[in-house]
Amino acid sequence: MTAELTREHIFSLLENVKDPEVPVISVRELGVLRDVEVSDDKVLVTITPTYTGCPALDMMREDILAELHKAGITNVEVKQTLSPAWTTDWISEEGKRKLKEYGIAPPEKTADIRALKGELPVVECPQCGSKETVMVSAFGSTACKALWKCKSCLEPFDQFKCL
Amino acid sequence: MTQQEALFSYCLRRGDDNLILSHRLGEWCGHGPQLEEDIALTNRALDLIGQARNYLQYAGTVEGKQRSEDDLAYLRAERQFVNVKLVEMPNGDYAHTIARCFLYDAWHLPLQQALMNSADEQLAAIAAKAVKEITYQLKTSGDWMIRFGDGTEESHRRAQTALDELWSYTGELFATNEVEALLVKAGIVPEMAPIKAAFDATVNAVLAEATLKRPPDGFMMSGGRQGKHSEHLGFLLAEMQYLQRAYPGATW
């Protein structure tokens, strides 16, 4: 068993742990999984919340434990860290592509000048690709999303808020 | 008072402010003026409860008496809560709820920005996380104030009434006592004067654009930090704490 207990192996197992709210994207792609340390026969997994009050974090912790237990790894500690604070820039490019395919407009980069000035970004409709979109509400179905609609295909959609 | 006792008190203040406002916003669930705003208010409540949890967990750690965040939230009596009275006031109409959020956000953002430089690592980490959320909240509460104030005659009237009613509760946000004095000296919490200046700048800019009048600074309410609350807090706690009081230790 110790032969399997490498950092890389744990990371690959944790690819199966998805965001419970957006089940196409893994905790690594989301940037919630910060680190894995293996010492002797103990595994320490470090995660960070997206939003402070996000209830999905507790479930992610449970899912991480369950996934590792399934692989026979039981000496596991999941540690939560606040610093450095999570940013949507940590969502991987692949993660952003998956969000879009799932129907959620991915966040723009925080370095985007519009984000700095507090202006609304140009958000592409994840269904039809139109840039003729408008924000309906600054808050959406979960803490991390805002509600938008497309003026071309008339469909509503979620946008991942830039944080 | 030791530094540890002061830090415990300070964490309780931050935790209680967020917890009680979060509960008030949660009362809007299912009652919002439109579906999107109903969701917006509960999203806000969720951010605040997350921030409250961080502070109450840390308060429990600092105190060192094995009290959890839940013990502190559910098993303290009214006189042991140290939130400002502003957050315990009933919701009123939608303009009233938004005006309270705006005044709270305009104070909360510069306070948390300053706390990012705290000599206490955990306070700095909590603040760095919270600042991102509060920035977004202040933007939206400010936008609503402008929309109400510069909207219809009725929305203007309601927003101005709300401001006039709430103004005397803002003084307490900037009041300090020996807790802050001790922690300011240790570089753990910031001086209040620059926070007040930032609050004034935000409020003046937004109200000017909203064509609303800033109420004059007159009599200011106090007592919340000493556990002397309005009659409203007891009713709020009765609802919030009912389950843990009736079924101690219940989990689900």
Side-chain angles (χ1 to χ4, degrees), chain B residues 213-234:
Chain B
K213 279 202 198 76
R214 176 180 166 130
D217 287 334
F219 168 76
M220 288 290 178
M221 298 284 178
S222 62
R225 298 285 187 229
Q226 286 73 46
K228 294 173 188 163
H229 294 281
S230 69
E231 69 271 29
H232 305 295
L233 184 66

Side-chain angles (χ1 to χ4, degrees), chain A residues 17-80:
Chain A
V17 179
K18 309 293 184 192
D19 178 343
E21 299 277 5
V22 191
V24 289
I25 180 171
S26 76
V27 287
R28 181 191 57 81
E29 288 164 331
L30 190 60
V32 161
L33 176 60
R34 298 314 303 155
D35 200 13
V36 171
E37 290 165 68
V38 179
S39 57
D40 300 327
D41 59 345
K42 186 173 176 185
V43 176
L44 177 66
V45 179
T46 305
I47 57 174
T48 192
T50 53
Y51 280 74
T52 320
C54 182
L57 193 73
D58 290 334
M59 187 156 172
M60 291 181 202
R61 173 197 301 271
E62 294 298 313
D63 289 350
I64 287 170
L65 288 172
E67 188 64 31
L68 295 182
H69 285 186
K70 210 165 65 184
I73 303 163
T74 50
N75 193 359
V76 182
E77 188 192 338
V78 181
K79 189 180 85 175
Q80 189 188 318

Side-chain angles (χ1 to χ4, degrees), chain B residues 173-235:
Chain B
L173 294 168
F174 305 98
T176 56
N177 66 4
E178 70 274 15
V179 169
E180 280 86 1
L182 198 152
L183 296 174
V184 165
K185 230 178 263 173
I188 293 173
V189 312
E191 297 269 6
M192 264 301 170
I195 315 290
K196 179 70 164 66
F199 170 87
D200 284 340
T202 303
V203 168
N204 293 344
V206 169
L207 295 193
E209 197 176 341
T211 71
L212 292 165
K213 279 202 198 76
R214 176 180 166 130
D217 287 334
F219 168 76
M220 288 290 178
M221 298 284 178
S222 62
R225 298 285 187 229
Q226 286 73 46
K228 294 173 188 163
H229 294 281
S230 69
E231 69 271 29
H232 305 295
L233 184 66
F235 293 100

